[in-house]
Amino acid sequence: MLVQQLSRVLSAAPLISPCDGIVVRHYEDATDAGRWVELINRAFRDETPPMRCWTVHDFEQRVMQQPGWTPGDLFLAHTGNGQLVGSVSIAFRRHPSGRQPALHLMAVRPDARRQGIARMLVAMLESTVWHRGHREIVLETHAGWQDAAQFYAALGYQLRTPTR
């Protein structure tokens, strides 16, 4: 799988523009894990190439069991009626200067896209990273996912070194 590595240097804490009718909170309990898996599977189902289906076990291993992970690292966007419509998490990568924050597993339900939810979630994540003292954030996305690449470029993320 061809992966694009992107990064963005933060020069200030981002401004967060709220979305009407959307509430963002952090991970609370196992119910959130099941709803998150459903969101991820729905969000990536029609991508070319597709992402494999996730399970709650995958979530526990690839999100919750990451070194240093806390519930405050997972942002969950809900509608007023409680439907989960978007999510993003912070992961940490090894870096010569210590741990480097990474934007990880960004997803928005297809029927909720283009409403500012993804922008709001990224701004909230970046603000958290900023307030924790980090000034650069990285991410990886599949090179074939053009909508994602364009979205991140519009937010100021720039291509790093592509890898296979």
Side-chain angles (χ1 to χ4, degrees):
M1 171 163 84
L2 186 61
V3 173
Q4 287 183 338
Q5 295 179 342
L6 307 169
S7 68
R8 179 167 181 228
V9 174
L10 303 174
S11 57
L15 297 175
I16 300 167
S17 298
C19 293
D20 287 339
I22 302 296
V23 174
V24 178
R25 66 174 177 78
H26 298 291
Y27 178 86
E28 291 177 356
D29 57 35
T31 303
D32 285 340
R35 294 174 72 215
W36 182 90
V37 167
E38 180 184 330
L39 169 70
I40 290 295
N41 290 335
R42 180 173 292 196
F44 291 100
R45 175 180 51 213
D46 296 328
E47 292 296 334
T48 305
M51 181 187 282
R52 71 171 179 80
C53 285
W54 279 62
T55 66
V56 170
H57 179 73
D58 294 329
F59 171 79
E60 291 167 353
Q61 284 191 313
R62 299 208 38 215
V63 178
M64 294 177 69
Q65 293 179 6
Q66 292 302 305
W69 186 83
T70 69
D73 294 339
L74 180 60
F75 300 80
L76 303 169
H78 295 268
T79 61
N81 66 5
Q83 181 184 44
L84 183 62
V85 293
S87 177
V88 68
S89 65
I90 302 170
F92 288 92
R93 308 283 189 248
R94 290 187 193 133
H95 189 267
S97 64
R99 296 181 339 142
Q100 183 171 42
L103 187 151
H104 188 60
L105 295 166
M106 175 69 186
V108 175
R109 284 176 55 109
D111 60 348
R113 291 181 182 159
R114 304 209 185 288
Q115 298 176 27
I117 296 167
R119 280 184 183 274
M120 179 182 64
L121 285 167
V122 170
M124 293 178 105
L125 181 139
E126 290 175 345
S127 180
T128 299
V129 165
W130 173 269
H131 290 293
R132 290 182 185 178
H134 299 280
R135 298 300 177 256
E136 182 181 26
I137 190 164
V138 297
L139 67 88
E140 292 181 349
T141 189
H142 191 283
W145 296 347
Q146 292 302 309
D147 288 346
Q150 291 171 356
F151 169 73
Y152 293 125
L155 294 179
Y157 285 82
Q158 297 181 340
L159 189 63
R160 292 177 70 157
T161 306
T163 61
R164 287 197 183 269

